[in-house]
Amino acid sequence: MGLGLLLHFIQHHAYGYSLHSLVGTETFLDGVSAATPERRFLILALCGFVAGVGWWAIHRFGRPLVSIAKAVNGGQRMPFVSTVAHDLLQIATVALGSPLGREVAPRELGALLAGMVSRRFGLTMPEQRILTACGAGAGLAAVYNVPLGGALFTLEVLLTTFDLTALLPALATSVIAAVVAWVGLGNQVPYELPRLSVSSSLIAWSIVAGPILGIAAHYFIEMTQSATKSSPKDWRQIPWSIATFASIGIIAMKFPQLLGNGKGIGYLAFNSDLTLTFACILLLLRLLVILASLRAGAAGGLLTPGLTLGCLIAVILGVVWASFWPGVPAGAFAIVGGAAFLASSMKMPLTAIALAMEFTHVDNSFLVPIAFAVVGSVLVSQYLGGRARTPFAGSTTSEHGEAV
């Protein structure tokens, strides 16, 4: 809740909207669109300076960062000062317009605090492992108001088990975290949508589109991994970051939709407010700015950015499909496609299904096309990755704790 309110505070003051209310009806997309193009450019240049200096200082003076995966599965302790600074930088840069996600910061902070508390009370190593993972899942549950998604993330991605000894604390901690966050962030649905329904056309499309989205997710993983590995960790990160984010600022002068974690684009896609041409343009530019940010050394999540890319691909495929079999709004394609892409890009099929439902609160009948698309997507992605095992056999994670 604290990180969420900090995010809103920086966003509102950076772009000059909703200055008297941290949680209001005006969205980040509304705020950045209303800001002048020159202001968007200057804020992104500032974002590059903050990101470059901040992460250079952490790498130069701080203790080495420990990912959530290493804390959970390797028993390593997350350094307090470096982790907190790392998380605050993520929140600050995403608030200023970085195209990466905000969800890693609350996950890391949740894991850090859970590990400290469990050690303080002398719990066994297996118990510490479970509670550290629960802290991470609870952070996700709180920041997006997705208690089931947070619990499933803990079990499917971090602990890779659904044993009752893990399931009960995972579910309890995620629900508690989400309810506590209501105090400051409100009990809000992440995406407000018009009423959508499932049709035979959408179900047939989900079977066809799932494998295509799996292919796209597979190559997205490869590109993000390559960009992250190539990022500088020395003084070069400062000029590289400033130049990269200033360039993003120039693009954002024309396309303010690119700023932030991608929630604004997701909202447009879910509400069928994107044309085919505009969706194609946003897809290419969105992918470009995500990879550029990672290459410059910025940190952040890939959950919402991945969901957004899946929505855009689905809108493109759906508009073409609807020209032959009409009757399905683009928003319905976006919900199904976003879940399918996310399931493969983060190797979490069950969590992706739960997140799609909790993000949008669509009718339960959407479980049918979403499940079809997720199965096709994950099977193809796993085949391209050369893995014979199922996604539940264990996910690899990046240095920022993202399942990749």
Side-chain angles (χ1 to χ4, degrees), residues 275-297:
T275 65
L276 177 61
T277 301
F278 195 38
C280 291
I281 293 172
L282 288 180
L283 175 62
L284 293 176
L285 292 178
R286 184 70 192 168
L287 179 60
L288 173 64
V289 297
I290 290 172
L291 296 178
S293 300
L294 293 173
R295 178 64 179 83

Side-chain angles (χ1 to χ4, degrees), residues 29 32 41 58 135 139 143 147 154 161 173 191 266 275 299 322 337 340 376 382 389:
L29 179 58
V32 297
F41 168 76
I58 289 177
V143 75
T154 300
T161 180
T173 49
Y191 295 94
T275 65
Q382 290 288 292
R389 68 179 188 273

Side-chain angles (χ1 to χ4, degrees), residues 105-136:
R107 291 207 322 249
E108 289 183 340
L109 194 57
L112 170 68
L113 297 177
M116 293 173 61
V117 170
S118 61
R119 287 192 297 272
R120 174 67 179 83
F121 282 88
L123 301 184
T124 64
M125 288 302 297
E127 290 169 338
Q128 290 184 31
R129 175 175 181 268
I130 289 174
L131 287 185
T132 300
C134 287

